[in-house]
Amino acid sequence: ISKAAYDVEIPEVPDIYIKEGLKLSDQELPEGWKWINEDKKLKVGHVTEPAIYTPEDSRNYDSVEADISFKVMKNPAEVIIEEDISKVYDGNAVTDPAVVKTTDAENVVYTYHDVTNDRSLDEKAPVNAGKYSVTASVAETEMYTAAESEPVEFTIEKRDVVLDITGEDKIDGDIAKAEITVEVLGIDGISLDEDSEITLYVRESS
């Protein structure tokens, strides 16, 4: 008496994400099924591998072999800017903000946009006062997808100039004049040395 053919539904399995040392056996099969090459290491891409089903009554029923397919996918990466880099103008470019990232990519690329003038600055960090936004991005790797953060706005505020203004009335012949002396004491937050030079533009009122 020959064994009977066993009627069993070929299972569908979900796609899985790549990880270090991923093997075929990490993709679970329904009860009774087993991968023939269960120790085979997997890479990102489409996978089709043979599996075997052994009936409980293996004395009277033949085992069933079938190809089962699924995808091994890269892990979705994420980048989040967590630092506000707003500051008061100091003559230096802003520092790239700190980020939190779920990827093994080491390099983070920062792209800046001048919101005030609606123009891209590419990867050049701004120096002058104005309103800007910054976006952080990472390239894809063997295990993670590429990712880009949401743009985060920040501001470089104008810095105050500290002036000491004094006035003195003078008589030049029959004409009375006011002599005004302006002394620059410093720029708020920035110390001035003897070599510092600041130009003031004075316009005569009509």
Side-chain angles (χ1 to χ4, degrees):
I1 301 175
S2 300
K3 290 184 179 182
Y6 194 85
D7 185 17
V8 61
E9 183 177 355
I10 307 302
E12 293 184 0
V13 295
D15 298 332
I16 58 175
Y17 291 110
I18 190 68
K19 66 178 182 179
E20 289 288 347
L22 181 68
K23 297 190 298 184
L24 192 56
S25 58
D26 292 320
Q27 174 65 286
E28 295 184 0
L29 291 173
E31 185 177 356
W33 286 91
K34 183 178 180 180
W35 296 108
I36 293 177
N37 304 312
E38 60 180 8
D39 290 330
K40 183 176 181 178
K41 292 185 178 181
L42 299 180
K43 297 179 180 180
V44 171
H46 187 83
V47 177
T48 299
E49 286 290 332
I52 187 169
Y53 178 81
T54 303
E56 291 185 8
D57 187 3
S58 58
R59 178 178 179 180
N60 295 308
Y61 290 93
D62 284 325
S63 297
V64 178
E65 289 191 19
D67 286 339
I68 299 176
S69 299
F70 60 95
K71 289 182 180 179
V72 178
M73 303 178 296
K74 291 186 178 184
N75 297 281
E78 185 178 19
V79 184
I80 300 174
I81 296 175
E82 64 171 2
E83 181 184 8
D84 181 6
I85 55 175
S86 295
K87 67 174 185 176
V88 177
Y89 172 80
D90 61 3
N92 299 312
V94 295
T95 302
D96 294 332
V99 300
V100 174
K101 55 187 176 74
T102 55
T103 175
D104 56 2
E106 295 183 0
N107 295 328
V108 179
V109 177
Y110 296 91
T111 304
Y112 292 90
H113 186 81
D114 183 344
V115 176
T116 303
N117 300 299
D118 191 21
R119 62 188 181 94
S120 174
L121 302 177
D122 296 323
E123 297 176 24
K124 185 177 181 180
V127 175
N128 296 323
K131 189 175 183 180
Y132 304 91
S133 68
V134 58
T135 303
S137 61
V138 292
E140 69 175 341
T141 66
E142 291 186 0
M143 300 187 63
Y144 288 87
T145 62
E148 183 176 276
S149 73
E150 291 293 328
V152 174
E153 292 191 351
F154 64 95
T155 303
I156 300 178
E157 300 286 352
K158 292 182 179 180
R159 184 173 288 278
D160 294 333
V161 178
V162 182
L163 304 176
D164 182 20
I165 302 176
T166 58
E168 181 181 354
D169 292 335
K170 286 192 174 183
I171 304 297
D172 184 5
D174 296 330
I175 302 175
K177 294 183 178 180
E179 184 178 280
I180 299 176
T181 302
V182 179
E183 181 183 359
V184 179
L185 300 180
I187 300 177
D188 181 33
I190 302 178
S191 61
L192 299 177
D193 55 33
E194 294 180 357
D195 296 328
S196 299
E197 181 178 322
I198 295 177
T199 302
L200 299 177
Y201 296 92
V202 180
R203 184 178 63 186
E204 182 179 358
S205 60
S206 57

